[in-house]
C-alpha cells in the first residue's frame, strides 16, 4: 500500500535533500515514508519554529529548495514567526503539515489556511487522488515566487491508500526576467554613458544580485569603470575584488567608507531594495549623486533613484558592461587614489568599557582575528547584529545570514546553526546571538550542538538585558526593569548538552578560541563563548535609529 503521505514524500524527495522538523500525529506517515523510501535526510529539531528556521538557513547557505515539517494545531501555530520571517526574506520553502480532517475541525484544530495566509504563505491541501500533482504545484509556487508554501495533509487521508505514485511533471519555472524595449534600452544606454563619464563611480549589490549569479558580471563592470563597490548586509562578498570594496553600506559600514560612498557622482544599485538601513535613513548618497537601480520589482524602490531597469541583475550588468566597453572611455582612477584600508577600519574600542565590562567592539574584533577563514556566520536578531557585520567579513553572501531581521524578530539563532552546518558540511558555523534571543531559542541549543559538533561555535553577547530596547526606550526614560534579564550562565547551559562553555570576562579568555581553532575538528566540541559585555556601548546602526526616532 502506498499512502497519500507517501505520495507527498516521494514526490517532494525528487526536489530536496533535507527536511527539518518535529514528528507528531499529523506528519507521522509522511516521515515514515520519507525515512523508509527516500534518500532525503531528516534532521529532528526540538521546537517546531526551529524546523522552519533550520530549513530557512539551509536554503540561504545552499541555494536549494528548503523543506520542513510539523503536525497540525499547536505544532503548526508554533511555526508562525519563523514562517513569517521566511516570507519576508523571500525564502523558497515547503512546509509539510498535518491538518484537520476533511469532515471538519476538531476542538484542537485551528484555521491553518487563514493563519498561513495572514503571514503571507499560501496553502495547498492534498487529496487522495491528487497528492503528487499538488505537491509539484506547491514546489513550483515556492520556487517561482521565492516564498514559503504550506503543503497540508488532512488527518483522515494521511494513511489512505492512493495507489502507485504517478510520474509527476517537474515544476515549471520562469526564465530570468530580462525586460526589453526602447525605454529599457534607453535607460541602459544612459547608465553606460553615466558610468563611462563618472569621476567617482560606485556599484552597490544586494542579495538579489547574488541570487541571479551576477558576481562575475559586476566585477567586469567595476573594472571597466574603475568603480568602488559595496554591498548590503545580505550581499557582502559578492564582488570579486575585495581590495576595492567598501564593505556593507548603512549602519554596519565604517564611517570612512560611508564618507567615500557619499562622494560618488554616479551610483548603480543591483538587486537591492534600498531599505532604510542600507540607505542610512536617506543619508547614504549626496543630493547630487545620480542613482540608478536594477531590480525585479515592478518599479524603483526608493525616491532617490533617477533611472530604473526592471530585469535580472546579471543580464543587465552584462549589458551595461557591454555598453561601457562600446563607449571605450578610460576607467576612473578613483579607487586607486584613496586609502581604502583606512576607510574600512572600524573603531575597535579599548578592551574594557567604563562600567568594567568588556567592550563588545574589542571582543568582536579579537574574535574576527581568531575565527577560521572557512566560516559561515549565522545571526539571530538583536542589538548585537552590528558586531559580526562590522568585524567578521565573509567570503560570499551565502556565508552570512541574518535570520529574523526581515521580520524584526529574535530567538531564531540556535536552530539556524543546524541548517547552515548541513548546507556547508566542511565549514565552521559561527552563531552570533544575544542573551535574550539565546534564551528564547534555547530548546534548539541541543540541536545546534548535535548537528554542528566540533565545527560549530556560538558567541553569546551577554549584557543581561534586551539591549535594543534599552537603547531605544530606556534612553527615552521608560522603565528599564522589563528590559533587563538576570545574568544567565550560558557556558553552564552549553555543558548540559555536550558543548564546551567558556565565560569570557577578560580579553585573555578569548585565547581558548585560538586553541580551539587550532585543534583537529574531530577532537573538539561545539564551543559556546559567553561574553559578558557592556550594554553601554551602542552599535553605530542603533545610533542611527536612535537619531531618527528622537
Amino acid at each position: 500500500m502506498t499512502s497519500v503521505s507517501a505520495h507527498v514524500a516521494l514526490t517532494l524527495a525528487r526536489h530536496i535533500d533535507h527536511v527539518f522538523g518535529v514528528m507528531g500525529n499529523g506528519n507521522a506517515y509522511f516521515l515514515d515514508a520519507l525515512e523508509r523510501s527516500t534518500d532525503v535526510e531528516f534532521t529532528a529539531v526540538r521546537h517546531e519554529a526551529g524546523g522552519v528556521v533550520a530549513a530557512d538557513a539551509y536554503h540561504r547557505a545552499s541555494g536549494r529548495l528548503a523543506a520542513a515539517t510539523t503536525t497540525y494545531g499547536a505544532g503548526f501555530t508554533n511555526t508562525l514567526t519563523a514562517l513569517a520571517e521566511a516570507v519576508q526574506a523571500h525564502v523558497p520553502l515547503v512546509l509539510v503539515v498535518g491538518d484537520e480532517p476533511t469532515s471538519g475541525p476538531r476542538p484542537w484544530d485551528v484555521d491553518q489556511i487563514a493563519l498561513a495566509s495572514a503571514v503571507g504563505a499560501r496553502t495547498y491541501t492534498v487529496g487522495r487522488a491528487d497528492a503528487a500533482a499538488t505537491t509539484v504545484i506547491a514546489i513550483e509556487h515556492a520556487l517561482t515566487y521565492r516564498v514559503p508554501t504550506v503543503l497540508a495533509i488532512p488527518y483522515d487521508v494521511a494513511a489512505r491508500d492512493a495507489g502507485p505514485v504517478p510520474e509527476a511533471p517537474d515544476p515549471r519555472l520562469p526564465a530570468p526576467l530580462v525586460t526589453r524595449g526602447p525605454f529599457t534600452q534607453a535607460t541602459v544606454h544612459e547608465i553606460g554613458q553615466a558610468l563611462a563619464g563618472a569621476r567617482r563611480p560606485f556599484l552597490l549589490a544586494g542579495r538579489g544580485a547574488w541570487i541571479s549569479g551576477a558576481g562575475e558580471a559586476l566585477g567586469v563592470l567595476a573594472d571597466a569603470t574603475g568603480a568602488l563597490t559595496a554591498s548590503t548586509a545580505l550581499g557582502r562578498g559578492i564582488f570579486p575584488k575585495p581590495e576595492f570594496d567598501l564593505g556593507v553600506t548603512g549602519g554596519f559600514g565604517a564611517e570612512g567608507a560611508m564618507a567615500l560612498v557619499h562622494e560618488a557622482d554616479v551610483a548603480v544599485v543591483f538587486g537591492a531594495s534600498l531599505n532604510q538601513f542600507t540607505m542610512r535613513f536617506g543619508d547614504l548618497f549626496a543630493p547630487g549623486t545620480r542613482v540608478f537601480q536594477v531590480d525585479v520589482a515592478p518599479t524603483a524602490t526608493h525616491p532617490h533613484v533617477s533611472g530604473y531597469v526592471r530585469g535580472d541583475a546579471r543580464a543587465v550588468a552584462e549589458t551595461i558592461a557591454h555598453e561601457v566597453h562600446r563607449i571605450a572611455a578610460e576607467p576612473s582612477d578613483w579607487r586607486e587614489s584613496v586609502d581604502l584600508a583606512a576607510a574600512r577600519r572600524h573603531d575597535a574600542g579599548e578592551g574594557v568599557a567604563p562600567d568594567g565590562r568588556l567592550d563588545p567592539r574589542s571582543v568582536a574584533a579579537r574574535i574576527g582575528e581568531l575565527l577560521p577563514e572557512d566560516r559561515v556566520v549565522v545571526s539571530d536578531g538583536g542589538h548585537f547584529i552590528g558586531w559580526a557585520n562590522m568585524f567578521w567579513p565573509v567570503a560570499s553572501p551565502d556565508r552570512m545570514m541574518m535570520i529574523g531581521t526581515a521580520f524584526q524578530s529574535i530567538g531564531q539563532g540556535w536552530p539556524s546553526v543546524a541548517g547552515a552546518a548541513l548546507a556547508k558540511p566542511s565549514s565552521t558555523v559561527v552563531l552570533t546571538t544575544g542573551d535574550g534571543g539565546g534564551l528564547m531559542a534555547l530548546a534548539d541549543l541541543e540541536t545546534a550542538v548535535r548537528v554542528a559538533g566540533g565545527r560549530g561555535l556560538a558567541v553569546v553577547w551577554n549584557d543581561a538585558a534586551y539591549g535594543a530596547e534599552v537603547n531605544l526606550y530606556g534612553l527615552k526614560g521608560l522603565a528599564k526593569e522589563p528590559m533587563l534579564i538576570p545574568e544567565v550562565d550560558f557556558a553552564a547551559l552549553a555543558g548540559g548538552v555536550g558543548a564546551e562553555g567558556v565565560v569570557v570576562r577578560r580579553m585573555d579568555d578569548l585565547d581558548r578560541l585560538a586553541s580551539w581553532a587550532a585543534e583537529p575538528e574531530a577532537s573538539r566540541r561545539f564551543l559556546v563563548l559567553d561574553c559578558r559585555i557592556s550594554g553601554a556601548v551602542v552599535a553605530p546602526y542603533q545610533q542611527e535609529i536612535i537619531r531618527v526616532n528622537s
Side-chain angles (χ1 to χ4, degrees):
M1 183 184 83
T2 307
S3 68
V4 169
S5 295
H7 277 223
V8 173
L10 293 168
T11 304
L12 183 61
R14 298 170 187 164
H15 306 281
I16 62 170
D17 45 25
H18 278 80
V19 173
F20 302 86
V22 179
M23 192 276 284
N25 288 347
N27 61 348
Y29 288 97
F30 166 76
L31 283 173
D32 177 74
L34 200 72
E35 288 283 313
R36 293 177 183 272
S37 305
T38 76
D39 293 327
V40 173
E41 182 178 349
F42 172 68
T43 298
V45 298
R46 304 310 176 201
H47 190 284
E48 289 88 354
V52 176
V53 171
D56 181 335
Y58 184 81
H59 165 76
R60 298 195 205 200
S62 70
R64 296 191 287 275
L65 177 67
T69 186
T70 184
T71 188
Y72 48 70
F76 175 74
T77 58
N78 272 347
T79 69
L80 286 176
T81 295
L83 191 62
E85 162 66 19
V87 169
Q88 296 285 337
H90 303 290
V91 172
L93 183 154
V94 177
L95 174 60
V96 180
V97 301
D99 205 351
E100 65 185 45
T102 57
S103 57
R106 302 156 297 183
W108 50 84
D109 286 315
V110 293
D111 190 342
Q112 296 182 184
I113 293 175
L115 289 171
S117 179
V119 299
R122 182 166 180 173
T123 300
Y124 292 90
T125 303
V126 305
R128 185 178 182 185
D130 66 354
T134 302
T135 301
V136 171
I137 292 170
I139 295 169
E140 187 175 284
H141 186 102
L143 292 172
T144 298
Y145 299 103
R146 301 195 61 82
V147 69
T149 56
V150 177
L151 188 59
I153 306 174
Y155 184 72
D156 57 341
V157 304
R160 295 285 298 275
D161 184 9
V165 180
E167 283 296 327
D170 287 334
R172 294 175 296 175
L173 303 180
L177 177 62
V178 181
T179 306
R180 295 181 175 86
F183 291 103
T184 297
Q185 292 175 357
T187 306
V188 167
H189 176 73
E190 182 184 1
I191 295 172
Q193 291 279 357
L195 285 173
R199 294 177 55 200
R200 296 178 299 278
F202 172 70
L203 304 182
L204 173 62
R207 183 164 173 254
W210 170 255
I211 291 170
S212 75
E216 183 179 350
L218 290 172
V220 170
L221 182 59
D223 287 343
T225 59
L228 289 176
T229 64
S231 68
T232 66
L234 297 181
R236 59 188 305 161
I238 187 172
F239 287 97
K241 294 186 176 179
E243 64 268 29
F244 300 126
D245 194 78
L246 295 172
V248 177
T249 62
F252 299 152
E255 280 301 315
M258 296 305 96
L260 286 174
V261 174
H262 204 71
E263 293 179 12
D265 51 4
V266 175
V268 187
V269 182
F270 295 87
S273 63
L274 297 179
N275 64 36
Q276 59 184 349
F277 304 109
T278 296
M279 291 294 287
R280 305 190 84 189
F281 298 90
D283 289 341
L284 181 65
F285 299 119
T289 305
R290 296 179 66 189
V291 182
F292 300 92
Q293 185 182 21
V294 177
D295 201 77
V296 295
T299 60
T301 59
H302 197 278
H304 287 186
V305 174
S306 60
Y308 183 75
V309 175
R310 187 184 188 203
D312 176 77
R314 180 177 66 178
V316 177
E318 290 171 345
T319 305
I320 295 172
H322 177 76
E323 179 69 16
V324 170
H325 283 124
R326 186 190 64 78
I327 296 170
E330 287 294 321
S332 164
D333 64 354
W334 187 31
R335 62 186 187 180
E336 286 85 11
S337 66
V338 293
D339 186 348
L340 293 177
R344 290 189 293 255
R345 195 170 297 126
H346 290 280
D347 180 1
E350 299 297 332
V352 178
D355 61 4
R357 294 173 70 96
L358 288 174
D359 186 324
R361 297 170 298 181
S362 305
V363 174
R366 180 59 178 151
I367 290 174
E369 295 169 352
L370 298 175
L371 288 176
E373 187 174 345
D374 181 7
R375 61 177 176 263
V376 179
V377 178
V378 292
S379 178
D380 199 353
H383 171 227
F384 61 86
I385 63 174
W387 310 133
N389 276 283
M390 292 166 64
F391 293 101
W392 303 349
V394 294
S396 56
D398 58 341
R399 290 175 174 269
M400 169 64 83
M401 56 204 74
M402 294 189 290
I403 299 179
T405 55
F407 192 52
Q408 300 289 290
S409 63
I410 68 171
Q412 301 193 45
W414 295 112
S416 66
V417 172
L422 290 170
K424 301 285 190 189
S426 63
S427 302
T428 299
V429 179
V430 187
L431 169 66
T432 174
T433 186
D435 49 338
L439 287 170
M440 190 178 291
L442 201 58
D444 280 304
L445 166 60
E446 182 276 334
T447 302
V449 173
R450 167 170 41 92
V451 176
R455 61 186 181 88
L457 68 102
V459 178
V460 182
W461 304 95
N462 192 345
D463 60 356
Y466 295 102
E469 283 68 28
V470 171
N471 294 335
L472 294 175
Y473 298 106
L475 293 178
K476 291 185 176 183
L478 275 69
K480 288 187 179 181
E481 284 70 21
M483 308 173 195
L484 303 180
I485 302 170
E487 189 166 78
V488 172
D489 190 341
F490 282 89
L493 289 171
V497 292
E500 176 186 352
V502 176
V503 176
V504 179
R505 292 190 176 92
R506 301 179 302 128
M507 293 297 295
D508 289 349
D509 293 330
L510 291 173
D511 291 347
R512 176 55 187 137
L513 174 56
S515 59
W516 180 90
E519 294 173 7
E521 178 188 315
S523 65
R524 66 194 188 196
R525 293 182 290 163
F526 191 103
L527 180 65
V528 175
L529 299 174
D530 181 356
C531 300
R532 306 298 172 87
I533 61 162
S534 171
V537 180
V538 181
Y541 87 92
Q542 282 247 304
Q543 293 173 358
E544 287 188 350
I545 297 172
I546 293 167
R547 172 178 55 81
V548 171
N549 287 342
S550 296

